[in-house]
């Protein structure tokens, strides 16, 4: 049983919206257009510029990015950790702060193996990049046994409300995937191309999940499981109002380099869960591939 040290719910992005309002040219009496510009407009009336509309375009919010890795604690200095990554795909040594959870750091010791979800602070310490901890789970002694199952197709994803006494869950099937099976030295593969996550035409067929309302919580933790967990899980989130707008940017992107993370889901969103089972593990697993799963929350 994993012991949760702290979970800070990651519920949306707090970003200021700045209005981009170009300055409007004054009228002729104000003489704000220089002579050369006036002459050009006179000779080319079709090129006359119309006054820009106020509030014409708002700047896009910056995408909120998180990364989850398996690591071990090297040193503890008050509310600051020095950790070393044990995830080959995200190597390095990092400084991690946790101002809201410094008291819980006392439960950690040098050498403790952890799963940590963290956000980059955009600054560098004396030697290492600095991050802020969002979630820390101590890894129990002994690795979880790998299921000895040959997956011949992209597996279903099961999301289960971690707070529900009724074990409420939802199952997702992949619409976009590429799957390869290797048996007796021979391989076979299949590719399926479904709709994009924000494709409005596919919304009627996309799984909808009603997010329960718990007191004081904007997001609800969901456990994630599947027959054999992927090597990398990337979760992208959009506002549900962006359905039909293929050019809309993600509100948040979280990359998990460890298996079976706890996911925080919020109502009124479109989520894509992009999973990868690496080809480099094909000899051990007997398969490799990728799959995408889409969910709309209400």
């Amino acid at each position: 049983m994993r012991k949760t040290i702290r979970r800070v719910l990651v519920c949306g992005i707090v970003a200021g919206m700045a209005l981009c309002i170009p300055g409007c040219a004054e009228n002729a009496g104000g003489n704000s257009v220089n002579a050369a510009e006036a002459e050009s407009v006179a000779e080319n009336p079709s090129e006359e510029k119309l006054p820009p509309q106020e509030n014409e375009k708002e700047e896009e919010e910056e995408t909120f990015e998180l990364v989850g890795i398996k690591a071990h604690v090297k040193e503890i200095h008050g509310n600051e950790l020095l950790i070393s990554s044990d995830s080959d795909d995200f190597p390095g040594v990092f400084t991690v702060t946790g101002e809201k959870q410094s008291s819980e750091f006392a439960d950690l010791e040098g050498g403790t193996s952890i799963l940590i979800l963290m956000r980059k602070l955009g600054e560098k310490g004396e030697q290492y990049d600095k991050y802020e901890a969002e979630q820390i789970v101590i890894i129990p002694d002994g690795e979880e046994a790998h299921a000895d199952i040959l997956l011949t197709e992209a597996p279903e994803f099961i999301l289960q409300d971690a707070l529900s006494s009724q074990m409420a869950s939802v199952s997702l099937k992949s619409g976009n995937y590429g799957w390869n099976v290797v048996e007796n030295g021979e391989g076979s593969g299949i590719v399926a191309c479904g709709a994009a996550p924000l494709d409005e035409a596919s919304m009627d067929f996309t799984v909808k999940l009603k997010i329960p309302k718990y007191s004081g919580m904007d997001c609800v933790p969901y456990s994630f499981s599947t027959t054999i967990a992927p090597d990398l899980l990337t979760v992208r989130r959009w506002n549900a109002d962006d359905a039909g707008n293929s050019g809309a940017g993600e509100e948040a992107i979280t990359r998990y380099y460890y298996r079976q993370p706890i996911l925080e889901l919020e109502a009124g969103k479109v989520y894509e869960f992009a999973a990868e089972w690496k080809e480099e593990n094909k000899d051990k697993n007997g398969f490799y591939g990728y799959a995408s799963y889409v969910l709309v929350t209400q």
Side-chain angles (χ1 to χ4, degrees):
M1 179 69 67
R2 293 176 180 169
K3 177 180 177 184
T4 302
I5 298 302
R6 176 74 174 181
R7 177 163 57 244
V8 179
L9 300 181
V10 184
C11 307
I13 307 167
V14 181
M17 297 294 288
L19 297 180
C20 181
I21 308 176
C24 297
E26 297 179 10
N27 58 30
N31 196 31
S32 64
V33 180
N34 61 40
E37 290 176 330
E39 181 178 356
S40 174
V41 171
E43 293 178 356
N44 302 283
S46 62
E47 297 181 3
E48 183 176 356
K49 296 182 179 180
L50 296 176
Q53 298 295 319
E54 290 189 0
N55 303 333
E56 182 175 1
K57 183 178 180 180
E58 294 181 341
E59 292 183 0
E60 293 184 356
E61 293 183 350
E62 182 179 355
T63 300
F64 189 79
E65 296 195 37
L66 298 170
V67 60
I69 61 172
K70 179 180 178 181
H72 65 271
V73 178
K74 293 174 67 68
E75 300 174 6
I76 304 175
H77 303 284
N79 68 334
E80 189 172 86
L81 298 178
L82 183 65
I83 66 170
S84 179
S85 174
D86 295 325
S87 299
D88 293 338
D89 293 326
F90 199 86
V93 177
F94 312 101
T95 298
V96 181
T97 62
E99 295 180 359
K100 297 181 180 179
Q101 57 186 47
S102 58
S103 60
E104 285 83 356
F105 276 24
D107 294 333
L108 301 175
E109 299 177 354
T112 302
S113 293
I114 59 174
L115 301 178
I116 181 168
L117 182 64
M118 55 191 190
R119 175 175 61 89
K120 192 169 184 177
L121 294 177
E123 56 184 285
K124 193 176 182 69
E126 294 183 1
Q127 300 182 54
Y128 311 111
D129 289 338
K130 297 187 69 173
Y131 287 77
E132 182 175 33
E134 299 285 345
Q135 183 185 102
I136 296 177
V137 176
I138 292 180
I139 301 176
D141 294 334
E143 290 288 338
E144 295 182 1
H146 187 286
D148 186 15
I149 298 175
L150 177 63
L151 286 179
T152 58
E153 59 183 0
E156 291 187 2
F157 269 24
I158 306 297
L159 298 174
Q160 189 170 65
D161 182 353
L163 302 180
S164 172
S165 60
Q166 300 177 350
M167 308 295 284
S169 65
V170 62
S171 177
L172 306 178
K173 293 184 178 181
S174 177
N176 286 290
Y177 59 86
W179 204 256
N180 301 272
V181 177
V182 181
E183 288 186 283
N184 301 321
E186 297 184 0
S188 61
I190 184 173
V191 174
C193 296
L198 296 180
D199 187 354
E200 190 170 21
S202 68
M203 285 296 157
D204 291 339
F205 308 100
T206 302
V207 174
K208 311 295 192 303
L209 175 63
K210 180 71 174 180
I211 301 296
K213 294 183 179 180
Y214 295 110
S215 178
M217 298 177 64
D218 294 326
C219 297
V220 174
Y222 277 76
S223 63
F224 150 78
S225 63
T226 189
T227 307
I228 296 180
D231 298 302
L232 171 63
L233 178 66
T234 301
V235 181
R236 294 182 172 85
R237 188 188 76 202
W238 295 266
N239 193 297
D241 292 338
D242 288 330
N245 179 10
S246 60
E250 301 94 332
E251 288 184 338
I253 301 176
T254 304
R255 293 179 175 86
Y256 295 96
Y257 293 95
Y258 55 78
R259 297 170 179 266
Q260 300 180 333
I262 296 295
L263 309 175
E264 306 287 354
L265 301 184
E266 182 181 354
K269 305 297 179 181
V270 176
Y271 289 91
E272 180 195 35
F273 306 99
E276 180 185 356
W277 292 261
K278 293 186 176 181
E279 183 175 1
E280 64 191 55
N281 296 325
K282 66 180 180 181
D283 292 337
K284 177 180 66 175
N285 295 333
F287 64 86
Y288 63 94
Y290 64 87
S292 171
Y293 307 77
V294 180
L295 173 71
V296 176
T297 57
Q298 300 173 327

